[in-house]
Amino acid sequence: LPGNLVAELVLFGGDVAQGRFDRAEALARALGRQNAIQALQPALVAWSMAGRGAHAEALAHLRPHAEAGRFRALNALHAALIADLAGRPREAERYVRLALADQPEPTLRLALLAASILHRAGRPADAARLLDQIGESHDELALAALEPARSQALSARGIATPAEGIAEAYVALAAALRGQGLEEMSAVLARLALRVRPGFAPALLLLADQMIEAEQFAAALDALAAIAPTDPLAGAAALRRAGLLDRLDRLPEAEAILRDLIAALPQLPQPRMRLGDILRRRERFADAALAYDEAIARIAAPSAQDWPLFY
């Protein structure tokens, strides 16, 4: 059907998956500009160009969108990723700094990708500062900015192929659409990302969160289980799985996951915090207090954001 955005994106993804980047570029250029996809169109066109080896053209296409406009941070990030993939570290650094300047408090994904680029551009101290900023929050996603996930995130490109760049773009928009009454489109984009990048952890995590909101707990567990144990987001996925198993009243499995995490990551407070929450809800107060005490002992400099743990 002409004008059917989902159908157009399915066809586009099919061409990407088959390496038909000339056709993919034509489809990306023809996408309508009157819907949510307008934010992604420049990046989809640029990644299609990169897919056929035209990295300079791709960067020229993104440049005006990266330097001005409503979606400049998104386009600057994708320009940085394309430059990084093309082996242009100085250009990649310039664009990633533009993306960061627009988001003083970067998301986890932006921090991971930007730190990887800065590390390769010879700016390891800047990369470390970015990850420290994320890791200082004791949110479950902060596990991806701490060791051993931290070293893994820095050691390889977050985006290794144009198809992976397209998946990244899909998930960025999918995350932005959540909470705006566009959850169905958000889920479609996450699934399209998995079509061109199977096993992509941010897409699986996003889908799992949507399934949890819809109380599709078994499906959410399956999505989380598909995240590779070596992925930087594996720790966060394990914490989500433990929470789900707790809600399903499968306490021994939840507790086993958390104790495995504690053994693997003895220096981190998050698994102990989650274990304390689960035990407290079961009125195992002495065990919960011990878990909380051990979590507190692993926070080097407690801050205002840690008040729930002390409470």
Side-chain angles (χ1 to χ4, degrees):
L1 294 175
N4 184 309
L5 177 60
V6 174
E8 290 172 343
L9 290 175
V10 168
L11 292 173
F12 172 77
D15 285 334
V16 169
Q18 296 298 318
R20 299 188 296 257
F21 286 103
D22 285 334
R23 288 176 52 172
E25 182 183 340
L27 282 170
R29 289 183 181 279
L31 288 172
R33 293 177 178 268
Q34 305 305 314
N35 47 50
I37 208 67
Q38 66 178 306
L40 291 190
Q41 190 180 35
L44 298 184
V45 171
W47 278 115
S48 300
M49 291 175 167
R52 58 180 176 79
H55 296 98
E57 290 178 46
L59 291 169
H61 179 77
L62 275 180
R63 186 172 297 116
H65 302 285
E67 294 175 349
R70 181 179 170 193
F71 306 112
R72 59 185 177 273
L74 174 69
N75 289 307
L77 173 61
H78 284 274
L81 293 170
I82 290 172
D84 183 47
L85 190 61
R88 301 181 178 199
R90 296 279 74 80
E91 209 167 348
E93 180 186 354
R94 184 176 80 83
Y95 278 120
V96 87
R97 290 192 186 281
L98 286 177
L100 290 168
D102 220 49
Q103 296 190 40
E105 295 184 4
T107 63
L108 170 66
R109 190 61 184 163
L110 172 57
L112 289 174
L113 292 171
S116 176
I117 288 170
L118 291 170
H119 187 76
R120 266 187 306 286
R123 302 286 188 266
D126 292 344
R129 275 193 293 272
L130 259 182
L131 296 181
D132 288 345
Q133 184 179 347
I134 297 294
E136 284 165 4
S137 91
H138 295 131
D139 179 82
E140 60 190 23
L141 289 177
L143 293 180
L146 301 171
E147 295 295 355
R150 180 189 187 113
S151 294
Q152 185 177 339
L154 292 175
S155 65
R157 284 186 170 88
I159 302 299
T161 67
E164 291 183 1
I166 287 164
E168 190 73 46
Y170 282 161
V171 172
L173 181 57
L177 293 180
R178 289 193 67 203
Q180 297 186 26
L182 294 168
E183 280 74 13
E184 185 176 347
M185 187 62 198
S186 174
V188 166
L189 286 167
R191 292 189 183 281
L192 288 170
L194 290 169
R195 186 181 183 207
V196 296
R197 188 175 181 180
F200 187 33
L204 289 165
L205 208 59
L206 180 63
L207 276 177
D209 285 347
Q210 293 171 330
M211 291 165 177
I212 291 168
E213 289 173 3
E215 299 189 354
Q216 298 170 357
F217 300 135
L221 279 172
D222 288 343
L224 292 170
I227 294 175
T230 56
D231 192 280
L233 287 174
L239 287 177
R240 303 276 178 95
R241 286 174 58 218
L244 275 171
L245 290 165
D246 176 43
R247 293 178 71 167
L248 292 169
D249 209 26
R250 292 161 59 179
L251 179 61
E253 293 171 77
E255 193 170 347
I257 286 174
L258 292 173
R259 293 202 182 279
D260 285 347
L261 270 178
I262 288 169
L265 305 168
Q267 76 280 23
L268 301 185
Q270 290 91 336
R272 289 174 167 84
M273 290 162 60
R274 186 59 57 86
L275 179 61
D277 291 342
I278 287 176
L279 295 172
R280 175 174 50 82
R281 284 194 290 270
R282 296 297 196 289
E283 299 188 358
R284 290 169 54 182
F285 298 122
D287 292 336
L290 178 60
Y292 288 139
D293 284 346
E294 290 179 348
I296 288 169
R298 283 156 179 80
I299 299 176
S303 64
Q305 68 182 356
D306 297 314
W307 74 263
L309 175 58
F310 285 87
Y311 179 77

